[in-house]
Amino acid sequence: MAGEFDAVEVGDGFTTSGRTITEADVVNFAGVSGDFNHLHTNAERMADSGYGERIAHGALVFSVVTGLLWQARNEAEKRHMVAFYGIDRLRFIKPVFLGDTIHVEAEIVDTERRDHPVATGVVRTEVTAVNQADEAVFSAEFLTLRR
């Protein structure tokens, strides 16, 4: 995928590498965010829940998705990225468990030229995180400002 706004085309897409969600990820995210909800931090209580075990924070999954997307970008894309502009239609479709490996499938669904002091326009990307069983666990439309 090209970096600058005028080279981006609807239908362009890519798949990121995978990332396994670990115990350390969940514990560190709880500490950084202050979200010590039992869903994420109490293995004994969650053993008797409908999930049967702890689940990752939705906000942690979102954060991992943004990191996987950034890591998948080439230098031209990184250079032409101005800002993460917004999120539409965010959904946490299925729980992500400790030990799950997720990757991201992304497709450009729209571009819109903007009058902006730094950027040329907004790129709308449909983003889906998929687990090791090929199940969608997260979806959203990410909007980015590009030069």
Side-chain angles (χ1 to χ4, degrees):
M1 182 164 49
E4 66 185 86
F5 177 83
D6 289 328
V8 174
E9 294 185 20
V10 171
D12 287 351
F14 62 96
T15 299
T16 71
S17 61
R19 162 96 188 272
T20 301
I21 305 301
T22 67
E23 168 90 15
D25 293 329
V26 172
V27 169
N28 287 328
F29 192 84
V32 168
S33 67
D35 182 351
F36 292 97
N37 185 310
H38 69 275
L39 294 168
H40 320 300
T41 60
N42 189 327
E44 186 173 317
R45 183 170 175 187
M46 289 306 291
D48 293 330
S49 73
Y51 295 115
E53 60 185 290
R54 290 178 295 155
I55 61 174
H57 303 75
L60 169 60
V61 173
F62 169 81
S63 297
V64 169
V65 166
T66 63
L68 288 171
L69 288 168
W70 183 254
Q71 292 167 25
R73 296 189 190 287
N74 63 40
E75 288 308 311
E77 291 170 315
K78 290 176 180 178
R79 196 172 40 254
H80 290 284
M81 191 71 57
V82 174
F84 186 23
Y85 185 64
I87 308 160
D88 289 340
R89 298 183 25 235
L90 172 66
R91 296 291 180 270
F92 300 103
I93 301 165
K94 288 187 175 235
V96 173
F97 299 97
L98 282 68
D100 280 357
T101 299
I102 62 173
H103 70 274
V104 178
E105 298 172 1
E107 181 181 348
I108 305 298
V109 294
D110 191 32
T111 60
E112 180 184 338
R113 190 169 292 282
R114 291 278 177 95
D115 182 18
H116 187 276
V118 179
T120 302
V122 175
V123 175
R124 181 180 296 269
T125 306
E126 178 69 32
V127 174
T128 305
V130 178
N131 68 15
Q132 69 279 355
D134 206 30
E135 301 169 319
V137 297
F138 168 99
S139 69
E141 287 184 349
F142 283 17
L143 288 75
T144 55
L145 287 170
R146 301 248 185 126
R147 287 190 202 346

